[in-house]
Amino acid sequence: ASAYTQTGPSSVTILSGGAMIDSSAFNLNGGALRGTGTIDGPLTATTANATTIAPGASPGTITINGNTILGGSNTLAMEIGGLAAGIDYDLLDVNGELTLGGLLNLTFINGFWPLIGDQFDIVTTNAAVLGTFTNVANGGFLQDTDGFHTFSVHYGAGSAYNPNNVTLLAITPEPSRTLLLMLGAASLMLRRRRRS
């Protein structure tokens, strides 16, 4: 149960099949933490070097039993492929206090397309959520990495949902509605051109 320190930009720790790392502290000083399993101790991602936390193997859950700090150079990379946490979409479950920092990246998998109002609790904690993502504040809007979906993102003391979670709310129309909106806009532009 001594401290576990990972360094180097290409270093990767992969939790497989629910594996557990029992450490007094997990220091993510470079590289990535991926997979499904448990860190039995606090985790700190450095602000000095680029790091990535990516739960699951498309998708899955990383559980951290301890206070967790995401540094300013960290990326929390989450995949969404359905509505069930840890089964259809990635989940970071923190048993302790969570301090946010760095980027939140969202990627869709398995051809999934959310409906307006679909809710995803991508991070859960049993204590306070502090800090902020550098690319989206509480109540702000964030697109997935392909630019097809937009979410409102909620976390921390001012959250419209559970302040101990990071919650996504889908606000992008499903494909059929998007097509109808585009056809409607095109029709309106054609009418305006004919009048002029």
Side-chain angles (χ1 to χ4, degrees):
S2 59
Y4 180 100
T5 299
Q6 177 176 305
T7 59
S10 59
S11 301
V12 181
T13 296
I14 299 174
L15 299 168
S16 179
M20 175 185 284
I21 294 178
D22 185 7
S23 64
S24 60
F26 189 115
N27 301 307
L28 186 60
N29 292 345
L33 170 63
R34 306 180 185 278
T36 295
T38 300
I39 305 297
D40 199 20
L43 180 144
T44 300
T46 183
T47 56
N49 304 308
T51 59
T52 300
I53 297 176
S58 298
T61 301
I62 290 178
T63 299
I64 302 172
N65 293 326
N67 293 340
T68 301
I69 299 172
L70 305 185
S73 299
N74 184 75
T75 298
L76 181 60
M78 309 297 276
E79 294 179 321
I80 300 174
L83 298 175
I87 299 171
D88 297 323
Y89 67 87
D90 288 339
L91 173 65
L92 180 65
D93 179 34
V94 177
N95 294 309
E97 187 176 271
L98 171 65
T99 302
L100 298 176
L103 302 174
L104 172 61
N105 280 1
L106 306 173
T107 303
F108 278 80
I109 59 173
N110 302 329
F112 177 68
W113 194 291
L115 303 179
I116 293 175
D118 280 350
Q119 182 176 323
F120 307 87
D121 293 322
I122 59 170
V123 179
T124 58
T125 78
N126 61 2
V129 174
L130 308 172
T132 184
F133 292 112
T134 56
N135 61 335
V136 61
N138 171 49
F141 300 98
L142 183 67
Q143 285 191 321
D144 71 296
T145 53
D146 292 322
F148 293 131
H149 309 278
T150 302
F151 294 89
S152 60
V153 183
H154 305 271
Y155 55 84
S159 174
Y161 299 91
N162 186 334
N164 292 350
N165 295 345
V166 176
T167 300
L168 308 177
L169 188 69
I171 61 172
T172 306
E174 54 267 38
S176 58
R177 289 189 186 178
T178 302
L179 180 60
L180 288 174
L181 289 171
M182 291 173 63
L183 290 173
S187 174
L188 183 62
M189 292 196 57
L190 282 173
R191 286 181 185 173
R192 287 183 179 173
R193 284 183 183 171
R194 287 177 184 166
R195 287 180 183 173
S196 60

